[in-house]
Amino acid sequence: MTVPVSGPAEHAVTVRGSGIVSAVPDLVRASVTVTATRPAVADAFEAVARSTTAVTDTLRGYGVSGPDLATTGLSVHSETTWAEGRGNEVTGYTAATTLQITVRAAGASAPSQVVAACVGAGGDDIRLGGLEFDFSDPAALTATARERAWADALGKAEQYASLSGSSLGEVLDIAEVDIGEVSPRPVAKAFAAADSAIAVERGEKPTRVDVRVRWRLV
């Protein structure tokens, strides 16, 4: 986003400021897939439905419901094997359904407990996808990072103005610079309860804003 301001470009200073806010994510998103292979299609679907019901009931018991619990996939395919002289033969059918879950750190139970209970409810039929950590209110963190970026840019500009024997005048333009995704900090804080089978570490995720500002020198 660039906001130009009319005026001569001479006797100006342009600087870039950075602002970073690191915070512990308060959301954990996970993909949970329930699969079952049976000789008949109906049996495969029934097995998936039974396990999925156990998983969703468990999640709802931990308060994961509404927009935090959604079905994102449903499929069935045949399993085949090669037989000499007969070609491919169908040996069974695999049905699968995928749930996208969001666990909030503000809940009564630790997210690791919820994930562990979910896996336990699904038994051997469940597959857990990758975990993603995020914030419930990213806009507030971005606003704070933006304020820090502005303060950083202003401090640099004031120093350059002083070194050149000038002072800062009006702002000529402002551009927020996209630097892409910032890697999480390696320092991690435990997200898991002491009795969890596998600890889930959420660490600190940085939010960064870079801004380029040009001031007139007077």
Side-chain angles (χ1 to χ4, degrees):
M1 176 182 68
T2 302
V3 182
V5 179
S6 60
E10 298 84 0
H11 308 298
V13 60
T14 301
V15 296
R16 179 165 171 167
S18 297
I20 299 177
V21 178
S22 293
V24 178
D26 58 359
L27 294 182
V28 176
R29 294 189 177 93
S31 177
V32 177
T33 300
V34 180
T35 65
T37 301
R38 301 290 187 273
V41 173
D43 293 338
F45 267 114
E46 182 181 353
V48 166
R50 186 167 54 249
S51 294
T52 302
T53 298
V55 169
T56 55
D57 286 348
T58 298
L59 289 171
R60 289 191 177 98
Y62 280 95
V64 180
S65 59
D68 291 341
L69 176 59
T71 299
T72 58
L74 180 62
S75 65
V76 63
H77 66 268
S78 59
E79 302 290 344
T80 61
T81 187
W82 174 263
E84 187 66 35
R86 297 193 301 271
N88 282 326
E89 293 185 337
V90 175
T91 58
Y93 296 88
T94 297
T97 186
T98 301
L99 303 171
Q100 186 69 34
I101 67 172
T102 300
V103 184
R104 301 178 184 274
S109 301
S112 59
Q113 291 179 314
V114 179
V115 172
C118 175
V119 172
D124 294 338
D125 292 334
I126 198 168
R127 302 292 181 269
L128 182 64
L131 299 178
E132 177 188 353
F133 304 97
D134 208 345
F135 301 105
S136 57
D137 187 13
L141 294 170
T142 301
T144 301
R146 191 173 286 127
E147 291 171 359
R148 293 183 180 181
W150 175 264
D152 184 39
L154 179 60
K156 292 176 181 177
E158 288 176 336
Q159 182 181 16
Y160 281 121
S162 176
L163 290 171
S164 65
S166 306
S167 59
L168 294 183
E170 63 181 305
V171 173
L172 298 176
D173 60 69
I174 305 170
E176 192 165 293
V177 183
D178 184 8
I179 63 167
E181 188 173 347
V182 182
S183 299
R185 281 188 172 186
V187 179
K189 296 182 179 179
F191 202 80
D195 59 352
S196 176
I198 300 176
V200 179
E201 307 291 338
R202 55 178 171 165
E204 285 189 338
K205 185 176 180 180
T207 298
R208 176 172 175 169
V209 171
D210 275 38
V211 64
R212 185 174 60 249
V213 188
R214 185 160 62 99
W215 277 271
R216 188 190 310 281
L217 291 177
V218 295

